[in-house]
Amino acid sequence: MNYYVMTLFPEMIEQGMNTSIIGRAMAKGLLTLTTLNIREYSVRGDGRIDDYPYGGGAGMVMQAEPVCRTYESLSEQLGYRPRLIYLTPQGRVFNQQMAKEFAQEKDLVFLCGHYEGIDERVLEEIATDFVSIGDYVLTGGELPSMVMMDSISRMVPGVLSNQESGETESFAGNLLEYPQYSRPEVWRGKAVPPVLLSGHHGNVDRWRRDQSLYRTLKSRPDLMEDVVLDKKDRKFLQMVTDQPEMEGEYPITEEEARFLRKLLAIRKKT
Ligand code: 6GU
């Protein structure tokens, strides 16, 4: 995978992408990263690339020509016009499925905006994808591009070791991860859940699955709609639903109980 990042702050990208698993993958040659400084393509004597917005309003707008020239210089070098992702809070919200799809590309270009945005006309010419990383506003596209490169890189063959690859599968099943514990067995009076010390792999797997279901229900009920539930999953969720409110190991609110009754009723039918 070859990444190209069009930005006014290339050093921010270079500093952010040199560590840990991504740094290792770049050293191995599985990933390359090239930053393209939009300022170098300024068409004005003073090196500026922004101007006032037509129609008025606060802030400045990045001009079309320097952005377009940056992309054209790259596409001439590559011999074709690669996919270009414009990072914007107005885009589709990034998720694991999109990470997998982007990981199939040979080259990916990220365009990082600043100020109040980029002249719409150049976006119409060069952007193939408009992507946001969530419902909050950031000062520029640099951090979002790094977030995307991190998660896309994990999906590139060879980037994760076999041991690391396992982590991916849990989100693929649309459930949140179960909790993890390591030594000591008792830490500041808090014991590790006994089932994990039992050596009974079947019970450990069941407990972890129950924890994943419970956590997903609690934090991300929206994900529950797409989870494939088997007989044992439904039995667990039925138990959680039927227990008295706020008692036992898996407390839920009345609202969560209503949600589960509805979910279990639907799943019984299908
Ligand atoms: Cl992609 N850009 C900016 N500026 N803010 C964001 C974002 C992107 N995604 C969420 N907030």
Side-chain angles (χ1 to χ4, degrees), residues 162-174:
N162 280 344
Q163 206 182 350
E164 291 158 349
S165 297
E167 297 168 28
T168 306
E169 298 318 312
S170 56
F171 218 107
N174 246 326

PDB file of all heavy atoms in Angstrom, residues 162-174:
ATOM      1  N   ASN A 162       0.603 -13.035  12.959  1.00  0.00           N
ATOM      2  CA  ASN A 162      -0.525 -13.954  13.141  1.00  0.00           C
ATOM      3  C   ASN A 162      -1.215 -13.708  14.473  1.00  0.00           C
ATOM      4  O   ASN A 162      -2.436 -13.746  14.571  1.00  0.00           O
ATOM      5  CB  ASN A 162      -0.054 -15.405  13.072  1.00  0.00           C
ATOM      6  CG  ASN A 162       0.125 -15.844  11.623  1.00  0.00           C
ATOM      7  OD1 ASN A 162      -0.379 -15.186  10.709  1.00  0.00           O
ATOM      8  ND2 ASN A 162       0.841 -16.915  11.417  1.00  0.00           N
ATOM      9  N   GLN A 163      -0.394 -13.464  15.505  1.00  0.00           N
ATOM     10  CA  GLN A 163      -0.951 -13.244  16.840  1.00  0.00           C
ATOM     11  C   GLN A 163      -1.808 -11.984  16.867  1.00  0.00           C
ATOM     12  O   GLN A 163      -2.882 -11.977  17.445  1.00  0.00           O
ATOM     13  CB  GLN A 163       0.188 -13.139  17.851  1.00  0.00           C
ATOM     14  CG  GLN A 163      -0.250 -13.544  19.242  1.00  0.00           C
ATOM     15  CD  GLN A 163       0.871 -13.398  20.262  1.00  0.00           C
ATOM     16  OE1 GLN A 163       2.031 -13.172  19.900  1.00  0.00           O
ATOM     17  NE2 GLN A 163       0.521 -13.521  21.517  1.00  0.00           N
ATOM     18  N   GLU A 164      -1.323 -10.938  16.216  1.00  0.00           N
ATOM     19  CA  GLU A 164      -2.052  -9.670  16.221  1.00  0.00           C
ATOM     20  C   GLU A 164      -3.327  -9.739  15.377  1.00  0.00           C
ATOM     21  O   GLU A 164      -4.279  -9.018  15.624  1.00  0.00           O
ATOM     22  CB  GLU A 164      -1.142  -8.543  15.692  1.00  0.00           C
ATOM     23  CG  GLU A 164       0.000  -8.187  16.627  1.00  0.00           C
ATOM     24  CD  GLU A 164       1.171  -7.502  15.926  1.00  0.00           C
ATOM     25  OE1 GLU A 164       1.206  -7.478  14.685  1.00  0.00           O
ATOM     26  OE2 GLU A 164       2.045  -7.004  16.637  1.00  0.00           O
ATOM     27  N   SER A 165      -3.339 -10.609  14.362  1.00  0.00           N
ATOM     28  CA  SER A 165      -4.468 -10.661  13.425  1.00  0.00           C
ATOM     29  C   SER A 165      -5.771 -11.070  14.094  1.00  0.00           C
ATOM     30  O   SER A 165      -6.837 -10.660  13.661  1.00  0.00           O
ATOM     31  CB  SER A 165      -4.167 -11.634  12.292  1.00  0.00           C
ATOM     32  OG  SER A 165      -3.065 -11.182  11.572  1.00  0.00           O
ATOM     33  N   GLY A 166      -5.674 -11.887  15.134  1.00  0.00           N
ATOM     34  CA  GLY A 166      -6.862 -12.360  15.819  1.00  0.00           C
ATOM     35  C   GLY A 166      -7.779 -11.244  16.281  1.00  0.00           C
ATOM     36  O   GLY A 166      -8.997 -11.378  16.239  1.00  0.00           O
ATOM     37  N   GLU A 167      -7.178 -10.130  16.670  1.00  0.00           N
ATOM     38  CA  GLU A 167      -7.937  -9.003  17.218  1.00  0.00           C
ATOM     39  C   GLU A 167      -9.010  -8.494  16.270  1.00  0.00           C
ATOM     40  O   GLU A 167     -10.027  -7.982  16.692  1.00  0.00           O
ATOM     41  CB  GLU A 167      -6.999  -7.820  17.513  1.00  0.00           C
ATOM     42  CG  GLU A 167      -5.950  -8.101  18.549  1.00  0.00           C
ATOM     43  CD  GLU A 167      -4.889  -7.007  18.576  1.00  0.00           C
ATOM     44  OE1 GLU A 167      -5.220  -5.863  18.227  1.00  0.00           O
ATOM     45  OE2 GLU A 167      -3.749  -7.308  18.931  1.00  0.00           O
ATOM     46  N   THR A 168      -8.725  -8.639  14.984  1.00  0.00           N
ATOM     47  CA  THR A 168      -9.617  -8.092  13.967  1.00  0.00           C
ATOM     48  C   THR A 168     -10.975  -8.763  13.982  1.00  0.00           C
ATOM     49  O   THR A 168     -11.991  -8.130  13.758  1.00  0.00           O
ATOM     50  CB  THR A 168      -8.984  -8.297  12.578  1.00  0.00           C
ATOM     51  OG1 THR A 168      -7.687  -7.746  12.615  1.00  0.00           O
ATOM     52  CG2 THR A 168      -9.793  -7.630  11.505  1.00  0.00           C
ATOM     53  N   GLU A 169     -10.968 -10.066  14.248  1.00  0.00           N
ATOM     54  CA  GLU A 169     -12.171 -10.856  14.010  1.00  0.00           C
ATOM     55  C   GLU A 169     -13.333 -10.434  14.898  1.00  0.00           C
ATOM     56  O   GLU A 169     -14.481 -10.547  14.502  1.00  0.00           O
ATOM     57  CB  GLU A 169     -11.872 -12.337  14.194  1.00  0.00           C
ATOM     58  CG  GLU A 169     -10.834 -12.850  13.215  1.00  0.00           C
ATOM     59  CD  GLU A 169     -11.027 -12.324  11.792  1.00  0.00           C
ATOM     60  OE1 GLU A 169     -12.168 -12.371  11.290  1.00  0.00           O
ATOM     61  OE2 GLU A 169     -10.056 -11.836  11.191  1.00  0.00           O
ATOM     62  N   SER A 170     -13.038  -9.938  16.094  1.00  0.00           N
ATOM     63  CA  SER A 170     -14.136  -9.616  17.009  1.00  0.00           C
ATOM     64  C   SER A 170     -15.017  -8.507  16.456  1.00  0.00           C
ATOM     65  O   SER A 170     -16.238  -8.613  16.492  1.00  0.00           O
ATOM     66  CB  SER A 170     -13.589  -9.209  18.366  1.00  0.00           C
ATOM     67  OG  SER A 170     -12.698  -8.137  18.216  1.00  0.00           O
ATOM     68  N   PHE A 171     -14.395  -7.464  15.911  1.00  0.00           N
ATOM     69  CA  PHE A 171     -15.240  -6.397  15.365  1.00  0.00           C
ATOM     70  C   PHE A 171     -15.969  -6.856  14.112  1.00  0.00           C
ATOM     71  O   PHE A 171     -17.067  -6.415  13.823  1.00  0.00           O
ATOM     72  CB  PHE A 171     -14.437  -5.121  15.091  1.00  0.00           C
ATOM     73  CG  PHE A 171     -15.199  -3.876  15.428  1.00  0.00           C
ATOM     74  CD1 PHE A 171     -14.867  -3.134  16.546  1.00  0.00           C
ATOM     75  CD2 PHE A 171     -16.284  -3.475  14.666  1.00  0.00           C
ATOM     76  CE1 PHE A 171     -15.586  -2.016  16.893  1.00  0.00           C
ATOM     77  CE2 PHE A 171     -17.016  -2.356  15.004  1.00  0.00           C
ATOM     78  CZ  PHE A 171     -16.665  -1.624  16.121  1.00  0.00           C
ATOM     79  N   ALA A 172     -15.321  -7.790  13.388  1.00  0.00           N
ATOM     80  CA  ALA A 172     -15.971  -8.342  12.199  1.00  0.00           C
ATOM     81  C   ALA A 172     -17.296  -8.980  12.585  1.00  0.00           C
ATOM     82  O   ALA A 172     -18.261  -8.947  11.839  1.00  0.00           O
ATOM     83  CB  ALA A 172     -15.051  -9.344  11.522  1.00  0.00           C
ATOM     84  N   GLY A 173     -17.360  -9.571  13.787  1.00  0.00           N
ATOM     85  CA  GLY A 173     -18.594 -10.156  14.273  1.00  0.00           C
ATOM     86  C   GLY A 173     -19.518  -9.114  14.876  1.00  0.00           C
ATOM     87  O   GLY A 173     -20.563  -9.448  15.412  1.00  0.00           O
ATOM     88  N   ASN A 174     -19.126  -7.843  14.806  1.00  0.00           N
ATOM     89  CA  ASN A 174     -19.961  -6.732  15.268  1.00  0.00           C
ATOM     90  C   ASN A 174     -20.141  -6.664  16.779  1.00  0.00           C
ATOM     91  O   ASN A 174     -21.032  -5.973  17.262  1.00  0.00           O
ATOM     92  CB  ASN A 174     -21.332  -6.762  14.585  1.00  0.00           C
ATOM     93  CG  ASN A 174     -21.505  -5.548  13.685  1.00  0.00           C
ATOM     94  OD1 ASN A 174     -21.007  -4.471  14.006  1.00  0.00           O
ATOM     95  ND2 ASN A 174     -22.201  -5.718  12.583  1.00  0.00           N
TER      96      ASN A 174
END
